[in-house]
Amino acid sequence: TPTHPLKRRRSRWVVLAGGTAAVLVGAVLLLQWSRPDARPASRKLQAGSKTAAVGTARVTKAPQNRPVARISTGSLTAMIYEEDLARECVQRIGREVLDNMINRMIIQLACQERGVTVTEEEVDQEILRISKEFNLDPQAWMEFLQAERNITPQQYRRDIIWPMLALKKLAGERVTITEADMQRAFQRHYGPRVKARMIMFDNIRRANAVWQEAMKHPEEFERLAREHSIDPTSRALDGKIPPIARFSGNEELEKAAFKLREGEISGIIHVGMNRYVILKCEGYTEQVVKDIEEVRPILYQELEKEKVQEMIARYFEDLRQQTRVDNYLTNTSTGGTRRATGPAPRTIRQAAGTTPQRRTEARR
C-alpha cells in the first residue's frame, strides 16, 4: 500500500522508543533525561527527609545511613548500608546517570527562567496521541514499552514525554515545509532505491588495493567484503546493505550509487572522516508510489515530525553551550564562562519527591 514505507519507519520508531529518540537524534534520542517532573513542589516528602525552606528552594539534610541488606552465616553477620550501595552505583553508572540529570536540569532551569510549564494534562494528551498512532490505548502502549524496552510508565512520562514537550515550548518556533521538502521526502520514502553490496575501509591505501582486486575479479566482491570490510553488520552478510534511497543522509554515497548500472562497481567513495566505501550495484527497486498526491497528507505529517525533532535537537545543543556545567564527578566544565576550580559550592538540593525546577545554587 502507499503508506507501507512510512509504516516500516514507524515500526522502527517503536523499537527505538526508549533509546536517542525518537526526537534526538538521537537523540537522539537526547530526550531520555532522568526524571523531570512538571508537578508542584508541594508533594509529600519521602520518609526521613527533613527540609528547611530557603527562598524558593529546599535544603535537604542528609538522611540516616539506613541498612539495605543483612547477610548472616553461622555466628557472623554483615550489613550493607545505603552509603555503600550509593558508592557502588556511582562507580558503576554514576557518569551516565549524572549526565542525564544534568541534561534534565538544563531544561528545568531554562523553563524556570522563561516561565514555561508543562502540565500533567499535556503529558497525558501527548501519550494518548502517540498511542493512537499505533492503534493502541495508552495502557496497552505503556505495557508494550515496559515489556519490550523496559521503560516504566513513570520513566516514559518523566524521561521522554516531559522533556520533549518542554523543549518544544522552549524552542517556540513553527517549522516551515516547502514543496521542495515534500518532493525530497517523497523520493526518500517512495522513490526507487539502489540494491547494493558494500566494502568499508578506514584506510585509503587498503581501499585502493581491494578496489583494484575487485575490478579485476568482480565476481569475488562478496568474498572481499567478508575479508576486508570494517563494518561488522554488512561484513557478516557478504557486504549486503539496505537499499540506498535518495536524500537519505550521505550525498556523496547517493550520487555514486545512482550512477551505477547493475553489476557495476563504483570507485572509492569518501563518506566521512577516515571512512571509504566501494559499492557493487545489484539493481534497483521499483518506485512504490508514482503520484505524490496519493500520500501527501501522511508525508506532510511525517516531515513535520522530522523537522520538529531537528529543531529541538538544535535548540537543546545551543542550550547546552550557553549553560555552565561544572561536573565535579568527572572534573570537567562545559559551556558558560565560569571555571570549575576548588571545592563544589554549597548547594540547595531538591528534596526527594519535589519538582526538579526547585533546585538552585546558593553561594555563601
Side-chain angles (χ1 to χ4, degrees), residues 266-286:
S266 73
I268 299 171
I269 310 163
H270 186 202
V271 295
M273 183 175 294
N274 296 323
R275 288 294 181 269
Y276 308 89
V277 302
I278 303 169
L279 298 176
K280 181 181 180 181
C281 178
E282 297 188 332
Y284 289 76
T285 65
E286 293 186 8

Side-chain angles (χ1 to χ4, degrees), residues 240-305:
K240 190 75 172 179
I241 59 174
I244 301 169
R246 293 187 188 275
F247 309 110
S248 56
N250 192 302
E251 186 177 355
E252 294 302 316
L253 182 70
E254 294 162 24
K255 283 200 292 189
F258 278 89
K259 289 179 181 178
L260 297 175
R261 296 187 296 270
E262 185 172 355
E264 192 173 5
I265 294 175
S266 73
I268 299 171
I269 310 163
H270 186 202
V271 295
M273 183 175 294
N274 296 323
R275 288 294 181 269
Y276 308 89
V277 302
I278 303 169
L279 298 176
K280 181 181 180 181
C281 178
E282 297 188 332
Y284 289 76
T285 65
E286 293 186 8
Q287 182 151 341
V288 179
V289 177
K290 301 294 176 65
D291 186 358
I292 190 174
E293 298 305 323
E294 296 180 35
V295 291
R296 183 176 288 275
I298 189 171
L299 194 61
Y300 186 92
Q301 291 176 5
E302 292 295 324
L303 190 55
E304 186 176 43
K305 290 177 187 176

Side-chain angles (χ1 to χ4, degrees), residues 11 27 38 45 67 69 84 89 126 133 156 158 191 198 209 234 243 335 343 348:
S11 298
L45 303 179
D84 304 316
C89 289
E126 183 66 10
E133 288 188 359
Y156 185 59
R158 293 180 172 182
M198 176 189 76
S234 61
I348 298 175

Side-chain angles (χ1 to χ4, degrees), residues 24 118 172 197 235 243 301 334 346 359:
L24 305 175
V118 177
R197 294 184 187 268
R235 183 180 66 228
Q301 291 176 5
T334 58
R346 181 172 64 90
R359 180 184 298 177

Side-chain angles (χ1 to χ4, degrees), residues 7-53:
K7 286 184 177 179
R8 285 205 305 271
R9 287 187 69 241
R10 188 169 291 170
S11 298
R12 289 198 295 272
W13 188 92
V14 174
V15 175
L16 295 173
T20 217
V23 173
L24 305 175
V25 105
V28 253
L29 239 301
L30 289 175
L31 289 182
Q32 294 186 14
W33 295 292
S34 176
R35 300 187 178 180
D37 192 349
R39 283 177 268 191
S42 59
R43 285 184 295 170
K44 186 176 179 180
L45 303 179
Q46 291 182 355
S49 176
K50 299 180 180 180
T51 63

Side-chain angles (χ1 to χ4, degrees), residues 13 16-33 100 103 159-160 163-164 167 305-306 308-317 320:
W13 188 92
L16 295 173
T20 217
V23 173
L24 305 175
V25 105
V28 253
L29 239 301
L30 289 175
L31 289 182
Q32 294 186 14
W33 295 292
N100 291 339
N103 288 336
D159 300 356
I160 299 175
M164 178 176 65
L167 284 170
K305 290 177 187 176
E306 290 177 11
V308 167
Q309 291 168 6
E310 292 170 1
M311 177 188 71
I312 289 174
R314 289 193 302 269
Y315 181 86
F316 183 69
E317 185 57 33
R320 282 178 59 92

